[in-house]
Structure formats: C-alpha cells, structure tokens
Amino acid sequence: MSELIIWTYDWVPKGPRGFVRDLRLRWACEEAGLAYSVRTVPFDGRQTNHLSRQPFGQVPFLSDGELETFESGAGLLHLARKNEKLMPRDPVGEAETVQWMIAALNTIEMVTVPWWFLEVSGEEDNGLADWMGNRLDQLEKVLNEREWLAADRFTAADLLMADVLRIPEVRSSGGRPATDAYVTRVTDRPLFKKARADQLAHFAAADASRSAAG
Ligand SMILES: N[C@@H](CCC(=O)N[C@@H](CS)C(=O)NCC(=O)O)C(=O)O
C-alpha cells in the first residue's frame, strides 16, 4: 500500500494553530485508521515556493503514492473513498455524505471565511452578517432534527462541517443550541482531540527549532 503523506507548513504564527486545515486530513486518517505521515513546505515564501503542488501557495495537500491532490475537501474525499468509516458504500449514504461535504465548503464556509476576514479587519458594519446568520439559522433547523448530517452516523461530512463551525467567532452571536451541541458532539471525539494536539505539537516543535536556528 502506498504511503499517505499530509503536507502542511513547517511553521505558522500562533493565531491559526489548531485550525490549519491539515487537521481535517489528520483527523480523517485517524478516524479511518489509515497510516500517514506529515511533511512540510516552508511557510516563509509560501506565495511562490510550492505553486507546482498547490497553485495558491496554501496547505494542505495530500500525496498517496503517485497521486497528489490539493484542497482539503478533495483530500478528504480521497480518504473517504478509502474507508467506509468516513463515507458509506451504499449509493444513498455516499451521495448524502458528498452533498453535505460540499455544503460545508460551498454554502457554509464560503460565507464564514469572508465574514471572519471582515470581522478581524475591524469593519464596523460587517455586510456579510445577515447572509451568514441566515445560513446558520437554516443549518440550525437541520441539526435540530438529526444527530449527524448523513447516513444516521458520523461521516466525513460531520468532520468537515464541524471543522468549519468550530471557529468560535462564527457562533459567537449564540442562539443556535442544536448547532452548538453538534459541534461539541463532533469535536468531543477523541481522534479530533488527538489530531488537534498533534498539530499543536508540530508547530510547537517548529518554534523550538526556529529559535535554536537563531
Ligand atoms: N480551500 C482551501 C483553503 C486552504 C487554506 O486557506 N489554507 C490556509 C491554511 S488553513 C493557508 O494555506 N493559508 C496561507 C495563505 O493563504 O497564504 C482548502 O480547503 O484547502
């Protein structure tokens, strides 16, 4: 079997630690029991230093033998196809899982990320607040009626949706108890905690080698 390699940065500032999207792939491998290793590209010079592998200079990307794929969603789908724990094999369960993975990225994260950028830029009136609030209200109705998004059990769709929603600021307006309970339920999983701890340890070790290098 070919070796799975998750590629991330060699270092990032403290702010994004615990949220860098290699965590999605680490967590998925852990849930599926897939062996993997983590390798790095330099954070410094990221705008140009690995464009042949990730055309936007970002991370993560994933290699699996000859195959290499960027975008955390694509990496997650690749892993989900390998293991039923992440995505059921029956056509209905699979379609539900894929549909909610795309919804996490293209309906929820597509507004939460720009909303958050405007928020941290100090804009007094965040013009995306209503749009994001509306999407989160709609999702709250769904989560009020079910424990998991697809196939009545944990899948890669929950992994991705919870990872999008766990940014504390996104849920800071409150008033969506089903969503809060969902995020807690998914991120209470021991293998999420392991993946997060591993990412934090990776960047802490990078601090140590940076300061040793002077
Ligand atoms: N849509 C991409 C987004 C990747 C992304 O935003 N990666 C961040 C780390 S979580 C990054 O590389 N940021 C540095 C940059 O954009 O220069 C994915 O899901 O893989």
Side-chain angles (χ1 to χ4, degrees), residues 20-66:
V20 180
R21 288 174 177 81
D22 66 75
L23 199 149
R24 295 174 178 176
L25 305 184
R26 290 173 183 264
W27 182 9
C29 285
E30 296 287 348
E31 292 280 356
L34 296 166
Y36 66 99
S37 57
V38 175
R39 290 199 210 154
T40 62
V41 290
F43 176 78
D44 295 333
R46 64 193 175 284
Q47 291 82 359
T48 53
N49 65 17
H50 60 284
L51 294 183
S52 61
R53 311 181 74 189
Q54 212 290 2
F56 309 105
Q58 297 178 316
V59 296
F61 48 97
L62 178 73
S63 8
D64 184 0
E66 303 270 289

Side-chain angles (χ1 to χ4, degrees), residues 47-180:
Q47 291 82 359
T48 53
N49 65 17
H50 60 284
L51 294 183
S52 61
R53 311 181 74 189
Q54 212 290 2
F56 309 105
Q58 297 178 316
V59 296
F61 48 97
L62 178 73
S63 8
D64 184 0
E66 303 270 289
L67 176 156
E68 198 159 276
T69 188
F70 65 88
E71 283 292 335
S72 59
L76 207 46
L77 266 175
H78 180 73
L79 298 174
R81 283 196 203 103
K82 284 182 177 287
N83 192 292
E84 200 167 351
K85 286 188 188 152
L86 296 171
M87 183 160 73
R89 289 291 169 261
D90 69 281
V92 173
E94 182 177 324
E96 282 181 15
T97 306
V98 171
Q99 145 192 295
W100 279 107
M101 288 173 74
I102 305 286
L105 296 171
N106 202 39
T107 301
I108 304 295
E109 191 170 51
M110 88 171 278
V111 59
T112 56
V113 167
W115 173 87
W116 183 82
F117 271 111
L118 286 180
E119 207 61 13
V120 295
S121 75
E123 289 281 323
E124 215 161 87
D125 190 14
N126 189 324
L128 298 181
D130 286 350
W131 183 19
M132 184 174 87
N134 198 20
R135 287 285 175 264
L136 294 178
D137 285 345
Q138 289 164 318
L139 187 60
E140 171 74 7
K141 284 191 192 133
V142 174
L143 294 173
N144 232 334
E145 286 171 6
R146 59 175 94 170
E147 206 170 340
W148 308 106
L149 288 174
D152 289 329
R153 65 160 171 93
F154 173 82
T155 64
D158 299 301
L159 185 157
L160 198 45
M161 188 65 89
D163 194 58
V164 168
L165 294 171
R166 75 187 171 93
I167 314 286
E169 293 82 356
V170 165
R171 289 176 298 114
S172 60
S173 63
R176 297 186 187 95
T179 304
D180 289 339

